[in-house]
Amino acid sequence: MITTRVVVVALGALLAAQLSPSVSAQRAPAAMQPIVGTWQLSGLERGSSAQSLARVPNPVGMLIQSGNGYVIEIVSQAARPATLNASEQFTTYQAFWGTTTVEGATASYHVDGHLDPGRMGQRFTRSFERKGTQLVLADTAAGGGAVTRATWERIPELEALPDWQEPVVGFWQWTGAGLLNAAGTNLRPAYRDPSVIVYTPTGHMAVLYLGPPGRKPFAGSTPTPDEARAAWQGSVSYYGTYIVQPKTRTMFHYQLGAANPTAVGGSFMRNFEIKEPQVTLIFPPTTLDGQQVRNTLTLTRLAGVRDMWPDFRR
């Protein structure tokens, strides 16, 4: 038993040394400190004005904010039925990622990627209030539109973050993908609008992989089923928890919320390789034109463990 434990600890230490982030993260600016962390949605209100806010039933979601300014946010509703059409799925699941700056009690956001193609590249501001483990964010749509107030509860970081999990933690931006055969030839390259996957020091994760460039904005404020289907074509978005297995270099994703209601409760297995500043995610094998291929994604680090958890100490 003692020998086995020593071998496992040594393997974890070796993997951490091989995969340790080469990026040097600074402590989050003081202005950013109140909003940094992994947050779970606990309350959501919407209305035409601050005086007419009404509670949205069964809100669920995840907000992840790094100290160096990267953010991903997913907002949805629990128990969405599988019978929703594409437009209904879209209006009950919103997701974006981008960057944030903070001045006083105001956070300014730039949208790098959004499920709604009309929101790509937009900027908006929110007021915020931090009370202990609770964060309240309020925003007003451009032109005096609907008001939204979201209440988030901070999820605590793991008390003993494993050595081998530390290199995985961070924001990772999608740079390329495709179906690779045994010789390493990319038989079917893939292209996407700016996309990310995020692993947090709380053991949570979130994904926003968008469809190929050229998605068309909607004609109205609410998409038709055909417009929503076209916007979501090729997109993948969910959030949940993850486990890192150091010996086999595999990760398991467990979906707590997803754009596709039928995916909630499901799980994925991915092999991974980290060669800073990149991570490669390798899917289980499949067959294409009689050849065994594996869907392989490459991503570049945007934030590391000390950006995600400024108080982290090993």
Side-chain angles (χ1 to χ4, degrees), residues 11-12 15 19 162 164-165 168 242-252 254 269-272:
L11 178 62
L15 183 61
L19 305 183
W164 58 82
Q165 186 170 338
V168 173
Y242 73 102
I243 294 175
V244 176
Q245 302 285 33
K247 292 182 181 179
T248 54
R249 295 200 181 194
T250 54
M251 282 192 288
F252 292 84
Y254 299 93
M269 186 277 286
R270 304 286 186 257
N271 291 105
F272 72 95

Side-chain angles (χ1 to χ4, degrees), residues 39-59:
W39 307 82
Q40 181 175 351
L41 187 63
S42 61
L44 184 63
E45 300 168 279
R46 291 194 178 112
S48 57
S49 68
Q51 291 72 40
S52 63
L53 289 173
R55 294 178 61 183
V56 175
N58 306 316

Side-chain angles (χ1 to χ4, degrees), residues 41-99:
L41 187 63
S42 61
L44 184 63
E45 300 168 279
R46 291 194 178 112
S48 57
S49 68
Q51 291 72 40
S52 63
L53 289 173
R55 294 178 61 183
V56 175
N58 306 316
V60 294
M62 184 158 289
L63 170 67
I64 304 169
Q65 176 74 64
S66 72
N68 62 342
Y70 290 99
V71 60
I72 185 170
E73 180 184 280
I74 296 174
V75 173
S76 186
Q77 290 177 263
R80 295 158 67 231
T83 54
L84 294 177
N85 65 35
S87 179
E88 292 167 333
Q89 287 188 36
F90 186 91
T91 55
T92 54
Y93 187 98
Q94 293 88 45
F96 84 92
W97 79 275
T99 55

Side-chain angles (χ1 to χ4, degrees), residues 49-186:
S49 68
Q51 291 72 40
S52 63
L53 289 173
R55 294 178 61 183
V56 175
N58 306 316
V60 294
M62 184 158 289
L63 170 67
I64 304 169
Q65 176 74 64
S66 72
N68 62 342
Y70 290 99
V71 60
I72 185 170
E73 180 184 280
I74 296 174
V75 173
S76 186
Q77 290 177 263
R80 295 158 67 231
T83 54
L84 294 177
N85 65 35
S87 179
E88 292 167 333
Q89 287 188 36
F90 186 91
T91 55
T92 54
Y93 187 98
Q94 293 88 45
F96 84 92
W97 79 275
T99 55
T100 318
T101 58
V102 171
E103 184 174 348
T106 300
S108 299
Y109 295 83
H110 177 268
V111 176
D112 286 80
H114 203 295
L115 279 176
D116 183 343
R119 299 290 305 275
M120 298 285 290
Q122 285 191 358
R123 297 179 182 274
F124 64 95
T125 61
R126 288 171 171 167
S127 62
F128 70 87
E129 183 180 13
R130 173 75 184 271
K131 292 183 178 180
T133 61
Q134 196 174 79
L135 176 68
V136 179
L137 290 168
D139 66 276
T140 304
V147 175
T148 300
R149 184 165 64 197
T151 302
W152 301 87
E153 190 70 27
R154 197 175 192 279
I155 302 173
E157 289 82 7
L158 296 174
E159 292 183 353
L161 182 68
D163 291 348
W164 58 82
Q165 186 170 338
E166 179 183 335
V168 173
V169 172
F171 271 75
W172 300 89
Q173 183 170 4
W174 189 96
T175 56
L179 298 178
L180 274 61
N181 63 15
T185 302
N186 193 340

